[in-house]
């Protein structure tokens, strides 16, 4: 990603804490950006599927069960 700067939705500090809490001693800036990109891609896929599930059920509101089902 040299030369490109992308603002992630998920704060890098929170991601760094998550990685450290799961055993990492140190986390590079590049790793944080990559982790944010991967999680945001997965999150977008789940959001799209949860929205599809809610619409299929005749709702405008996404419920927790929609998120859980979409994540499977």
């Amino acid at each position: 990603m040299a030369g490109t700067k992308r603002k992630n939705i998920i704060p890098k500090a929170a991601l760094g804490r998550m990685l450290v809490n799961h055993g990492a001693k140190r986390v590079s800036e590049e790793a944080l950006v990559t982790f944010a990109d991967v999680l945001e891609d997965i999150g977008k896929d789940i959001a799209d599927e949860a929205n599809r599930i809610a619409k299929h059920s005749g709702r405008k509101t996404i419920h927790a069960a929609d998120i859980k089902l979409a994540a499977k």
Side-chain angles (χ1 to χ4, degrees):
M1 290 188 87
T4 61
K5 197 150 189 169
R6 184 182 138 185
K7 183 159 172 53
N8 292 97
I9 297 169
I10 304 170
K12 288 188 285 187
L15 297 175
R17 283 191 303 274
M18 184 185 301
L19 292 167
V20 168
N21 288 341
H22 286 276
K25 297 290 184 209
R26 294 172 38 179
V27 182
S28 72
E29 179 70 21
E30 183 182 12
L32 288 174
V33 170
T34 301
F35 192 37
D37 289 343
V38 168
L39 289 182
E40 287 176 14
D41 287 344
I42 292 168
K44 287 174 187 174
D45 290 343
I46 292 171
D48 288 342
E49 181 64 12
N51 188 44
R52 190 191 67 71
I53 292 166
K55 282 184 179 180
H56 180 76
S57 298
R59 293 182 275 108
K60 293 181 180 179
T61 303
I62 295 175
H63 295 169
D66 301 331
I67 300 286
K68 289 178 181 179
L69 183 59
K72 286 187 176 187

